[in-house]
Amino acid sequence: MAQSLKIKLVRSAVASVKKDQTATCRALGLRKIGDEVEQPDNPSIRGMIFKVKHLVTVEEN
C-alpha cells in the first residue's frame, strides 16, 4: 500500500448523484470540481473512494 493517496474530483457530486455519494465526497474534503486532496491510504478511505469511483481520480504517492 502507498503512504498516501491524491484524490481529485473530476465530475460533479451534486447534480444526479445520490445524497450519500455527495456526503462521501464532502467527507473526503472535496467540494468543487477540480479540488484535490491528499488522504492517508487506509481501508476506510479506500472504501469511500470505491463508493464514488465514478466521480474521482486517484493517484498513489
Side-chain angles (χ1 to χ4, degrees):
M1 281 179 133
Q3 290 291 337
S4 64
L5 300 170
K6 192 179 285 188
I7 309 162
K8 183 175 184 179
L9 187 65
V10 293
R11 298 194 62 206
S12 175
V14 178
S16 60
V17 176
K18 295 179 181 176
K19 299 279 186 200
D20 60 331
Q21 292 174 358
T22 302
T24 302
C25 286
R26 292 289 170 104
L28 284 168
L30 303 168
R31 305 252 180 229
K32 299 179 183 176
I33 294 175
D35 277 359
E36 201 168 301
V37 295
E38 196 162 318
Q39 294 284 352
D41 189 6
N42 58 43
S44 63
I45 296 294
R46 290 274 182 169
M48 294 168 82
I49 291 169
F50 182 78
K51 191 170 192 173
V52 294
K53 65 183 178 279
H54 57 289
L55 303 174
V56 299
T57 59
V58 180
E59 181 181 319
E60 293 185 354
N61 289 342

